[in-house]
Amino acid sequence: MWLYSTVLFTAAFVLIFMSAVSQNRLSKDVKSYKEQLTKQQGLFQGVQKSLSELTEENRQLQEKVKEEEDKNKEYEQQIIEMNKKLDEANTQKEMYANSMENLLLAKKYYDEKKYRESAACLEKVNKEMLSENAKYLYDSFADTVYKKVAIVYYNEGYKNYSAKKFNEAADSFEKSLSYKKDEYCSDDALYYLAMSRLKIKDINQAKFALEQFKSQYPSSGYIKDVERLLNSINNN
């Protein structure tokens, strides 16, 4: 009995010892696991913090990039506008130079009594490019030149009409009227323009010219003949 008790006690002691050892080992394992878990959590928090910082830095960098891009676009637009203004200034400068050159040529041709060439040069002058004083001088000079050239083309037209060159006559009368409609020969030019159209059987244009004549020169000595021609055309 004593032996049996001794064996049981020894077995129980061994079991208790082994259990204590196992618990101690388990405790150490749990502690080690907790330490590892804590380290991993710390590492994860560190990584998470680094990611947050990197994300914020990336956001700030993108904002700076966008800001620089916006500035570049603004500069590019300013450059485009400046180039456009420069082109406009160069164009105006060229137009002004051409206008002044043609104005000087017009005066030269006028002095040489080349009224057609003088009028052609004046037509190339951009009046808006001139100063107010220059505009006044231009208007006065152009009026003088256009009167001269209107008479030149009328005389040429009448000469062609007398030679029965009715197409050429019509062209000359039209040019005369394009320069002046209130010159002493203007009603003659429009009347003979209508007659030239009738001669070449261009009835519609002849009628148009006669109707213009009736409206523009109602007190002309040709008015009765014009009305008679219009009645004849309308009745046919």
Side-chain angles (χ1 to χ4, degrees):
M1 185 70 180
W2 181 84
L3 180 61
Y4 179 73
S5 298
T6 301
V7 171
L8 286 175
F9 178 77
T10 301
F13 178 78
V14 170
L15 289 172
I16 291 169
F17 178 77
M18 291 179 66
S19 176
V21 170
S22 296
Q23 286 180 357
N24 184 49
R25 184 179 297 170
L26 179 62
S27 177
K28 288 182 178 179
D29 290 342
V30 169
K31 183 178 180 182
S32 176
Y33 174 75
K34 286 182 178 179
E35 289 176 353
Q36 291 178 3
L37 182 62
T38 301
K39 288 180 180 179
Q40 290 178 353
Q41 287 177 343
L43 180 62
F44 175 76
Q45 290 175 351
V47 171
Q48 189 176 31
K49 182 179 179 181
S50 296
L51 287 174
S52 298
E53 291 175 351
L54 287 172
T55 301
E56 177 61 21
E57 289 178 1
N58 183 56
R59 185 189 65 78
Q60 293 178 358
L61 182 60
Q62 287 180 346
E63 287 182 353
K64 288 181 179 180
V65 169
K66 186 177 184 304
E67 184 178 347
E68 292 299 321
E69 288 178 347
D70 291 340
K71 286 182 179 179
N72 287 336
K73 288 180 180 178
E74 183 178 350
Y75 292 148
E76 288 175 358
Q77 185 61 35
Q78 289 177 355
I79 291 172
I80 291 172
E81 291 177 358
M82 288 177 64
N83 286 333
K84 184 178 179 181
K85 289 180 180 179
L86 182 61
D87 290 340
E88 289 176 353
N90 287 332
T91 299
Q92 289 183 349
K93 180 180 178 181
E94 185 177 350
M95 290 173 64
Y96 176 78
N98 288 336
S99 293
M100 294 307 297
E101 182 180 358
N102 280 295
L103 192 56
L104 292 172
L105 277 173
K107 180 64 168 63
K108 175 179 177 293
Y109 285 132
Y110 180 81
D111 292 341
E112 295 172 357
K113 299 184 187 232
K114 296 179 180 178
Y115 302 124
R116 300 185 201 200
E117 291 83 351
S118 180
C121 288
L122 283 177
E123 289 176 343
K124 296 177 184 177
V125 174
N126 187 338
K127 184 179 174 181
E128 298 306 315
M129 301 300 300
L130 305 177
S131 65
E132 291 302 317
N133 289 333
K135 285 179 183 178
Y136 176 79
L137 293 174
Y138 167 84
D139 288 338
S140 177
F141 179 56
D143 185 64
T144 300
V145 173
Y146 291 160
K147 283 181 179 180
K148 294 283 187 181
V149 78
I151 295 171
V152 167
Y153 276 117
Y154 168 74
N155 290 333
E156 180 184 83
Y158 190 77
K159 181 179 178 180
N160 285 326
Y161 184 84
S162 300
K164 298 185 179 180
K165 296 179 181 179
F166 300 117
N167 281 306
E168 293 85 343
D171 290 340
S172 296
F173 290 134
E174 282 186 341
K175 288 177 181 177
S176 176
L177 291 165
S178 71
Y179 286 107
K180 276 292 179 180
K181 291 184 173 63
D182 57 355
E183 193 56 33
Y184 74 89
C185 61
S186 297
D187 60 333
D188 298 80
L190 188 53
Y191 174 79
Y192 283 109
L193 172 61
M195 296 302 294
S196 297
R197 296 298 186 196
L198 285 173
K199 294 292 185 180
I200 59 177
K201 307 299 181 185
D202 190 351
I203 305 303
N204 289 332
Q205 287 298 318
K207 180 181 178 181
F208 180 73
L210 291 169
E211 288 174 342
Q212 277 189 314
F213 189 99
K214 187 176 179 180
S215 173
Q216 294 177 12
Y217 309 109
S219 60
S220 171
Y222 295 107
I223 192 65
K224 289 184 179 180
D225 195 30
V226 167
E227 291 175 344
R228 179 184 61 78
L229 290 169
L230 272 174
N231 290 332
S232 176
I233 291 171
N234 291 329
N235 291 331
N236 288 333

